[in-house]
């Protein structure tokens, strides 16, 4: 493409790219609509964002006045320079308004028009951040949630999957998520509807449901989270076990971290079979962040006797935790040592102590004392080595060069 000098006033002050849909804000500055809307709506829970140039506050309901004159100048300039590789800029569609959305939603309440309505809502949501906020304010979230809750054909690519996708795309505000948590349809709250999708939906629907649950639980009242049932944990663990997508697995791990802050939830997670699933995934994964999160959740679950018993019941439990120490990251090392410390202090039977020796835990702990680890982690390693020194110190399983580090 031939190099062309672009007039500076054709460029958006934020992105420094040619404006496709120039709009003027209340501060008098003209921006490309997509760029300024992204800026205004980026803080979901904030009422205002500063104008990037003047720093004057701009509220989320700021009027963006189309600059038709500048748009026509840009379009004319693009046409004149088409031979130099400049692509033409089409006339932008007018932004959607609340009345249009309300009309669509009302039409979508009739079953025969529902799928067409959802496809239109999806198209609107994908266009811009402004459209997504407009959809939320017009009641689209409640409409979509009612479809998911009332859908009887979960497991097929139908309106429930479309509704779940749009709900995920909307990036619902904190207030909207809190409202969604307590919304009810047919006597059932929306969390129950999502759990049903996790149980019976196809892979794509389950992935969207997991991502929505993650967002909801992040803003949820702790009392609500503590009252979740074992069956809820079973469905979350099944998403991990089935490895339906990287995004869904990550969301499920984040949900587990959020829920397992409380002892009662740790016990429920253990009863749901979380420990063995986490160990199996840990055996396979080589990804740093995944390993860290798996160890974080295992550390939480080993904070209760039931979790420690399940880790010991798995033949590779102690071995895989030991293997990750000093091989992934400082975070993984810290969590791995914490898990072994829990096992050592509260479940340190002679069989466990011997197994730790055989799978190389003692060597790893000695190495931790020599490496650049946190002081707290070194202290835990030292405590374990001292606690079981009678069994470990004179063992032939410990390499001679490592014994010099034995406290």
């Amino acid at each position: 493409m031939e190099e062309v000098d672009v007039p500076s006033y054709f460029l958006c002050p934020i992105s420094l790219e040619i404006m496709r849909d120039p709009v003027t804000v209340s501060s008098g500055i003209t921006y490309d609509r997509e760029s300024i809307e992204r800026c205004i709506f980026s803080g979901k829970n904030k009422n205002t964002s500063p104008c990037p140039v003047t720093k004057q506050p701009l509220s989320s309901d700021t009027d963006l006045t189309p600059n038709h004159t500048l748009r026509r100048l840009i379009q004319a300039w693009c046409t004149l320079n088409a031979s130099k590789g400049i692509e033409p800029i089409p006339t932008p569609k007018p932004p959607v308004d609340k009345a249009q959305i309300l009309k669509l939603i009302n039409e979508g309440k009739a079953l025969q028009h529902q799928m067409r309505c959802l496809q239109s809502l999806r198209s609107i949501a994908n266009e811009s951040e402004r459209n997504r906020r407009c959809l939320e304010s017009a009641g689209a979230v409640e409409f979509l949630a009612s479809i998911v809750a009332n859908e009887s054909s979960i497991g097929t690519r139908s309106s429930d999957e479309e509704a779940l996708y749009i709900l995920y795309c909307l990036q619902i505000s904190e207030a909207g998520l809190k409202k969604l948590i307590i919304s009810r349809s047919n006597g059932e709250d929306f969390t129950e509807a999502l759990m049903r999708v996790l149980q019976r939906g196809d892979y794509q629907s389950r992935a969207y449901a997991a991502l929505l649950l993650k967002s909801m639980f992040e803003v949820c009242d702790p009392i609500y989270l503590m009252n979740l049932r074992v069956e809820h944990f079973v469905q979350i663990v099944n998403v991990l076990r089935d490895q339906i997508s990287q995004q869904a697995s990550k969301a499920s791990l984040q949900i587990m971290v959020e829920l397992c802050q409380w002892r009662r939830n740790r016990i429920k997670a253990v009863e749901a079979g979380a420990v063995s699933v986490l160990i199996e995934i840990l055996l396979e994964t080589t990804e740093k962040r995944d390993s860290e999160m798996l160890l974080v959740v295992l550390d939480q679950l080993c904070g209760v006797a039931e979790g420690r018993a399940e880790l010991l019941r798995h033949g590779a439990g102690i071995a895989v935790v030991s293997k990750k120490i000093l091989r992934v990251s400082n975070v993984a090392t810290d969590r791995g040592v914490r898990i072994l410390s829990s096992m050592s202090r509260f479940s340190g039977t002679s069989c466990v102590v011997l197994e730790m020796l055989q799978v190389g835990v003692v060597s790893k702990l000695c190495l931790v004392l020599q490496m650049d680890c946190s002081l707290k982690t070194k202290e835990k390693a030292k405590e374990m080595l001292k606690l079981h020194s009678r069994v470990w110190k004179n063992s032939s399983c410990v390499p001679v060069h490592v014994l010099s580090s034995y406290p």
Side-chain angles (χ1 to χ4, degrees):
M1 188 176 85
E2 186 179 334
E3 191 171 326
V4 183
D5 289 329
V6 182
S8 59
Y9 54 94
F10 286 1
L11 303 177
C12 175
I14 302 173
S15 64
L16 299 180
E17 295 177 351
I18 297 175
M19 290 185 276
R20 305 180 69 83
D21 185 8
V23 292
T24 303
V25 299
S26 57
S27 62
I29 306 298
T30 297
Y31 299 94
D32 183 68
R33 182 185 292 276
E34 186 178 343
S35 296
I36 191 61
E37 285 182 347
R38 193 182 302 121
C39 180
I40 290 172
F41 294 116
S42 59
K44 288 185 183 179
N45 303 319
K46 298 175 184 177
N47 293 322
T48 61
S49 294
C51 169
V53 173
T54 68
K55 305 306 177 187
Q56 180 179 325
L58 302 174
S59 67
S60 56
D61 57 359
T62 292
D63 286 329
L64 303 179
T65 307
N67 192 328
H68 296 300
T69 302
L70 180 56
R71 175 176 55 77
R72 292 190 189 104
L73 283 171
I74 293 172
Q75 287 176 322
W77 179 86
C78 289
T79 302
L80 284 171
N81 289 277
S83 62
K84 299 174 183 177
I86 300 296
E87 294 182 3
I89 292 176
T91 301
K93 291 193 296 184
V96 70
D97 61 34
K98 198 169 180 178
Q100 290 173 273
I101 296 170
L102 287 170
K103 184 182 177 185
L104 262 177
I105 290 173
N106 284 329
E107 289 174 358
K109 289 176 181 176
L111 197 59
Q112 65 269 31
H113 301 308
Q114 193 171 88
M115 202 62 191
R116 190 173 70 235
C117 163
L118 289 171
Q119 288 167 349
S120 298
L121 292 176
R122 178 184 183 134
S123 177
I124 291 168
N126 284 334
E127 279 179 12
S128 69
E129 181 67 26
R130 179 200 173 279
N131 282 6
R132 290 190 280 275
R133 297 282 71 82
C134 191
L135 282 166
E136 183 176 338
S137 66
V141 172
E142 292 80 359
F143 169 66
L144 295 165
S146 70
I147 291 175
V148 175
N150 293 329
E151 179 64 41
S152 59
S153 58
I154 290 175
T156 62
R157 177 167 173 75
S158 56
S159 53
D160 69 291
E161 183 177 322
E162 197 70 22
L164 283 165
Y165 172 79
I166 300 167
L167 283 168
Y168 165 65
C169 280
L170 287 179
Q171 300 167 28
I172 306 167
S173 66
E174 182 174 338
L177 287 168
K178 287 180 176 178
K179 192 175 178 182
L180 193 58
I181 292 163
I182 60 173
S183 65
R184 302 183 73 83
S185 180
N186 294 339
E188 176 183 65
D189 69 32
F190 190 59
T191 301
E192 292 297 332
L194 290 180
M195 290 295 177
R196 196 172 67 249
V197 173
L198 289 184
Q199 182 179 17
R200 294 164 45 198
D202 60 20
Y203 273 16
Q204 197 64 65
S205 296
R206 292 172 71 198
Y208 293 140
L211 290 161
L212 277 168
L213 280 170
K214 170 191 161 292
S215 298
M216 289 165 59
F217 287 169
E218 284 174 347
V219 301
C220 211
D221 188 300
I223 299 298
Y224 184 93
L225 297 180
M226 284 189 276
N227 285 326
L228 292 175
R229 303 189 302 277
V230 174
E231 305 92 88
H232 296 141
F233 286 85
V234 169
Q235 301 311 326
I236 296 163
V237 170
N238 283 343
V239 172
L240 276 173
R241 177 185 285 115
D242 295 343
Q243 295 286 285
I244 60 179
S245 77
Q246 192 171 2
Q247 265 191 313
S249 294
K250 184 178 179 182
S252 299
L253 282 172
Q254 289 170 326
I255 289 172
M256 294 291 285
V257 171
E258 187 73 35
L259 296 181
C260 291
Q261 298 176 64
W262 300 282
R263 186 179 184 280
R264 65 171 73 175
N265 280 354
R266 293 173 189 174
I267 295 171
K268 294 172 195 172
V270 173
E271 289 177 16
V275 175
S276 63
V277 171
L278 293 168
I279 292 170
E280 291 296 328
I281 299 172
L282 196 58
L283 282 165
E284 299 293 329
T285 189
T286 56
E287 209 278 323
K288 173 186 168 184
R289 183 59 182 152
D290 288 351
S291 295
E292 290 174 348
M293 291 190 69
L294 288 161
L295 288 166
V296 166
V297 182
L298 272 177
D299 178 29
Q300 289 175 310
L301 300 185
C302 285
V304 294
E306 295 85 346
R308 294 190 294 273
E310 283 300 309
L311 186 131
L312 290 174
R313 197 169 285 124
H314 195 292
I318 290 178
V320 73
V321 171
S322 175
K323 182 181 177 182
K324 297 296 179 181
I325 293 173
L326 299 177
R327 296 182 93 176
V328 178
S329 66
N330 286 339
V331 171
T333 294
D334 293 346
R335 290 293 178 165
V337 171
R338 280 171 58 100
I339 293 167
L340 294 177
S341 176
S342 294
M343 307 307 297
S344 168
R345 289 169 59 204
F346 303 114
S347 305
T349 63
S350 56
C351 290
V352 172
V353 172
L354 186 59
E355 182 183 349
M356 292 173 87
L357 181 64
Q358 291 169 338
V359 299
V361 168
V362 184
S363 301
K364 275 289 178 76
L365 295 177
C366 289
L367 288 171
V368 164
L369 298 181
Q370 302 174 53
M371 304 300 284
D372 185 23
C373 301
S374 69
L375 184 61
K376 190 173 285 189
T377 297
K378 288 187 176 185
E379 285 299 318
K380 285 190 178 295
K382 193 180 291 186
E383 283 173 13
M384 279 186 274
L385 289 168
K386 285 182 176 179
L387 182 63
H388 302 296
S389 61
R390 289 178 60 186
V391 178
W392 291 347
K393 193 163 188 176
N394 299 315
S395 173
S396 58
C397 293
V398 185
V400 176
H401 72 279
V402 173
L403 273 176
S404 59
S405 301
Y406 206 106

